[in-house]
Amino acid sequence: MRIRIVDAFTDRPFSGNPAGVLLLEGGAFPAAERLQEIAAEVNLSETAFAHPLPPGGTADWALRWFTPVAEVDMCGHATLATAHVLHTTGLATGPVRFTARCGILSATAHPDGSLTLDFPTAPLSEEPVPYGLADALGGDPVSVHGTGEHIGDLLVELRDEAAVRALAPDFAALATHSRRGVIATAAAEDPARGYDYVSRGFFPGVGVDEDPVTGSAHTALAPFWSARLGRDDLTGLQASARSGLVRTALRGERTLLTGTAVTVIDGELLTAF
């Protein structure tokens, strides 16, 4: 079985967020324990597993995502990576629909090579700043928001871009503050640089201390910043060491995430399911 490593939300290798992608034969997933073992071996923030579905249904592929230690409800960059593989190998030529834990998702390819994902918008709810969060994060929150069941993060607004870039969290302490992790964000210092807001994503609750570029987090960042900046179409920069850009378009209960991807490794999984 072929396994690919795809760098997502970037147009060049060795940047953006790498994801493992395995396209399975047949009409069912193997045992979750086996998928988890493979994801642990791949040891990236997410590994995506997909298998084709019979024609005529509400979706074309079934899709699941695993970190090295847990299955998650939603993942943007590994969905982008999967759609990239489907289109670059000729397995898909038009929009692709996926069924996943968080519902029906879709991916549409564009002539310039970019892909747009259609995801549910995260429902934001402002919350009091939890005791100890500032010390765990390494920065003082301006506001804190919950992000709903499928993401399960805290969205933490900081005073400026410099504060986001300077964070050095205590990951063990941070893991106690949300089910999945913490998204730290601030407005861009200079929008002329090509992005409207900046973020970083820390997910120690699912075994990922810092994620390079988190597509799912942008389903919360999009409504947050659209409300503040007065525009539905924005660009976010996730300021990790690898970095990546996500173009976001808020469409009510749905959020469109647009980016590019690059396949960097195409190999073979030798062990059987």
Side-chain angles (χ1 to χ4, degrees):
M1 180 175 297
R2 291 174 75 172
I3 179 170
R4 297 167 175 89
I5 307 299
V6 178
D7 289 344
F9 292 114
T10 183
D11 59 1
R12 55 190 174 86
F14 315 123
S15 61
N17 200 354
V21 177
L22 289 96
L23 303 181
L24 311 178
E25 299 176 356
F29 289 108
E33 293 79 10
R34 191 59 165 164
L35 301 181
Q36 187 64 72
E37 287 177 337
I38 294 170
E41 185 76 10
V42 174
N43 200 34
L44 297 173
S45 60
E46 301 284 354
T47 298
F49 300 88
H51 71 73
L53 295 171
T58 58
D60 308 302
W61 291 77
L63 181 61
R64 294 170 73 175
W65 313 277
F66 289 77
T67 78
V69 302
E71 185 172 7
V72 298
D73 285 358
M74 183 189 294
C75 178
H77 87 278
T79 304
L80 186 76
T82 303
H84 169 79
V85 170
L86 290 172
H87 281 92
T88 56
T89 59
L91 291 173
T93 55
V96 181
R97 300 166 301 165
F98 300 101
T99 182
R101 278 186 170 189
C102 58
I104 301 296
L105 313 173
S106 69
T108 302
H110 304 293
D112 65 357
S114 65
L115 291 148
T116 295
L117 308 179
D118 183 328
F119 271 47
T121 301
L124 300 181
S125 56
E126 189 162 7
E127 301 179 359
V129 178
Y131 176 79
L133 176 63
D135 289 339
L137 186 59
D140 293 323
V142 174
S143 67
V144 174
H145 290 74
T147 58
E149 61 173 324
H150 291 308
I151 299 180
D153 299 330
L154 288 181
L155 178 63
V156 180
E157 180 188 10
L158 300 181
R159 67 180 182 276
D160 55 31
E161 179 175 333
V164 173
R165 291 182 178 274
L167 293 174
D170 177 339
F171 294 114
L174 203 62
T176 67
H177 286 285
S178 69
R179 176 167 58 84
R180 190 179 76 159
V182 171
I183 309 160
T185 188
E189 179 181 345
D190 180 6
R193 293 175 180 169
Y195 55 92
D196 301 290
Y197 58 89
V198 65
S199 67
R200 290 173 69 187
F202 309 107
F203 309 105
V206 291
V208 181
D209 284 347
E210 180 166 8
D211 194 37
V213 191
T214 313
S216 61
H218 286 74
T219 67
L221 291 162
F224 182 85
W225 286 112
S226 291
R228 282 156 178 74
L229 300 177
R231 290 182 288 122
D232 288 339
D233 294 4
L234 301 169
T235 299
L237 171 73
Q238 194 151 333
S240 65
R242 292 174 62 102
S243 188
L245 290 170
V246 182
R247 300 202 303 274
T248 60
L250 184 64
R251 300 293 184 262
E253 294 183 354
R254 308 295 293 185
T255 293
L256 307 182
L257 311 172
T258 298
T260 53
V262 181
T263 300
V264 293
I265 295 175
D266 188 345
E268 186 177 359
L269 180 69
L270 297 178
T271 184
F273 281 108

